[in-house]
Amino acid sequence: MTRAALALLLFAAPLGAQPKAETVTSKGGVVVCVSPPAAEVGLATLKKGGNAVDAAVATAFALAVTWPEAGNIGGGGFMLVAPPGKAPTCIEYRETAPAAAKVDLFADGKVTWLNNKAAGVPGTVRGLALAHAKFGKLKWSEVVLPAVELAEKGFTVNAALAGGLNRVLADPKTTNAEFMRVYGKPGGGKWAAGDTLVLKDLGRTLRLIAEKGADAFYTGELADLLEKEMKAEGGLITKADLAAYKANEREPIRAQFRGFDVYGPPPPSSGGVALAEMLNTLSHFDLKKMGRWSPEANHLIAESMKRAFADRARYLGDPDFTKIPAHLTTPDYGKKLAGTIDLKKATPAAELAPDIKLNEESESTTHFSVIDRDGLAVSNTYTLENSYGNRVVVRGAGYILNNEMTDFNPKPGFTGTNGQIGTKPNQIAPGKRMLSSMTPVIVLKDGKPVLVTGSPGGRTIINTVACVVLNVLEFEMSVADAVSAPRTHHQWLPDAIRFEGAKEHAELVKQLRARGHTVTEARQGDAHSIWIDPKTGARVGAADKRLDGKALGE
Ligand code: GLY
């Protein structure tokens, strides 16, 4: 058994109550994200006449400066956009495997997540440019320059950022000299809330992007710097990989649940498919009548998660390389899955798909939600994979590289008891996108957005989002309560429920164990969300305070 699996099976000390979400109410635009200075940039963009996509792009660039553990230009992600009166669309900007990547890159265990070979071809700058070109109102430079200013002039570090920086800098695994130079506190010592962080090289890179557009990142001087960094440290990304990278517009996955239309990202994220499977399964039960913290409802929620994650492992990967079965998201299939659930007893995970097991996936990503005064809604999740990616800063360019290649299945054909999966759909191939769990979601009622949500957390992302969506649509909680409420996670294997609320709900835990579930406890997610009241049109932004979120309104 892996250490991670063992940790999941142990019952950790109780966490205590979840922090209450911070809310803002507005008739105009709302921005909710993890980092206060980035939320300020989003709000300022709305106030100067930008729409929600302008604000989202500006917030994303600002987060690359102010939330370096996951905000990025060296990674990738998914952005859902719901234009008023139109069906939502997905801007997909997941990283790709470089042309030189071999299927067995990680097979002998010598290449780690801290290696430059673990970096996929970054997608963020092309993705943000595609979203802006399609929907933005302001000039490109206007949505990039606020991040330039933050990086060049510096910004105030808060307690959450100081804690994260101190942890990563003290970790003996952090060895990249440029990372330590750029993110170490000038003069030495630990970062503290109130300090100023200046990122000159990143500011220059962002200024080039502001002036010359996304091409500045993918060709020319910045591409030279990345290729040089790769060559110096045995990495795979070339200028040709960068020049060939394209972001895609894709049709989101839609599930209908209790009269709402729930839109999530399509493959190469597993989020939309898995969420649709869970909602289609759970629609056959009256969870509300059972009660939010009843053993009946929580047993069903965990069983639906388990089944969706077994399918995720078996079928999902980059749709340009692997055929995704169409039945997975159909109501009929949800009905069939519902019929396989024993109401009194947990189904052992091994019985659902005995042939496959999962590899590990990092929990460091970030999500933000935006709506503007006209009702254009944006739900964006993006990531470097691990916290601070592969912990390498590209010399001269000042940005952190992702380690997203580790989201591929590491060892072809080897599915082992240590939790690795070796099945075909998510194996490495040149130009292929690695499977993601990112789940930015927009829920519509009668064609209008009512809920914008998403979260970081590796595979827990999908279940955090499922919990928030169920809390609002099924249990009719306010968005603040839905975000604050303890979350559940079951990812099929290890065969255990992770539950944030074991202390407040000790009797529920006892009852779940009586049904045969193993229950462990861990913090989960960071779900910055917006509720739009369908009757009054009022927008309530709810900042998750598990880290340090901020909700701002016009
Ligand atoms: N790297 C985390 C994810 O894509 O789900």
Side-chain angles (χ1 to χ4, degrees), residues 116 225-233 392-395:
N116 270 355
L225 286 172
L226 179 54
E227 192 177 72
K228 199 167 152 207
E229 185 68 47
M230 288 286 138
K231 281 189 175 150
E233 302 292 340
V392 171
V393 170
V394 178
R395 278 165 279 186

Side-chain angles (χ1 to χ4, degrees), residues 315-326:
Y315 295 119
L316 300 186
D318 183 340
D320 295 339
F321 286 73
T322 192
K323 190 159 168 46
I324 312 290

